[in-house]
Amino acid sequence: MQLTSFTDYGLRALIYLATLPEGELTSITVVTEKYGVSRNHMVKIVHRMSQIGLVEAVRGKNGGIRLGKPAKSIVVGEVIRALEPLQLVNCEQPNCHITSACRLKGAFAKALDAFLNEMDNYTLHDMVSGNDDLKHLLIPARPL
């Protein structure tokens, strides 16, 4: 299974936000620079994540973005379900002429369920907690 870039960068953005001190704001520009992704693409991703409460967007001169809820309550499987289309193959007519007798779509459904169930075992907090290597890669050391 391969996630779309939308979901991939959505997860990466959440990971970045989770490495920041709780409540700290950053900008979409900073996130796009960290991952080398188009700002327009990231704006769409952050907008979608703000609609579903994963990200809080604060407007104004001192605005920015931050996690919309604690990292411990953001389940990776739920993020994937919210951002990913999750249709592995198109079994509709006229794309597939064997759909009425096909067993492959059932196998795909079981595999997808297993994947999502496994991802439900992880929170955003699990991805960043105690991961100093990640924090060093994403957040440069601040001068004293």
Side-chain angles (χ1 to χ4, degrees):
M1 170 163 193
Q2 182 173 352
L3 299 176
T4 61
S5 65
F6 192 90
T7 304
D8 178 14
Y9 285 113
L11 288 165
R12 292 181 199 210
L14 290 172
I15 287 171
Y16 178 74
L17 294 175
T19 63
L20 298 174
E22 189 173 341
E24 183 174 310
L25 292 167
T26 190
S27 69
I28 291 175
T29 301
V30 169
V31 177
T32 61
E33 289 172 357
K34 290 291 176 191
Y35 295 118
V37 65
S38 150
R39 187 177 192 290
N40 288 337
H41 191 49
M42 189 58 74
V43 166
K44 292 174 190 173
I45 294 166
V46 169
H47 176 71
R48 175 69 182 125
M49 292 193 304
S50 69
Q51 289 177 323
I52 58 178
L54 296 172
V55 171
E56 179 183 5
V58 178
R59 295 183 180 266
K61 181 181 176 188
N62 296 316
I65 58 172
R66 62 181 163 218
L67 288 180
K69 54 187 176 179
K72 286 183 178 182
S73 67
I74 298 176
V75 177
V76 175
E78 292 174 5
V79 174
I80 294 170
R81 283 181 190 89
L83 300 181
E84 191 68 22
L86 294 178
Q87 182 179 355
L88 297 181
V89 293
N90 185 353
C91 296
E92 301 298 318
Q93 295 281 352
N95 293 318
C96 183
H97 300 291
I98 64 169
T99 193
S100 63
C102 183
R103 293 181 180 160
L104 188 57
K105 62 186 172 188
F108 280 145
K110 282 184 176 181
L112 180 60
D113 285 344
F115 169 72
L116 292 170
N117 287 334
E118 180 61 25
M119 298 314 295
D120 285 339
N121 292 319
Y122 302 97
T123 66
L124 192 56
H125 180 262
D126 297 328
M127 300 297 111
V128 301
S129 178
N131 192 342
D132 291 335
D133 291 339
L134 175 69
K135 290 179 183 176
H136 290 303
L137 289 169
L138 292 176
I139 311 295
R142 295 181 180 169
L144 298 176

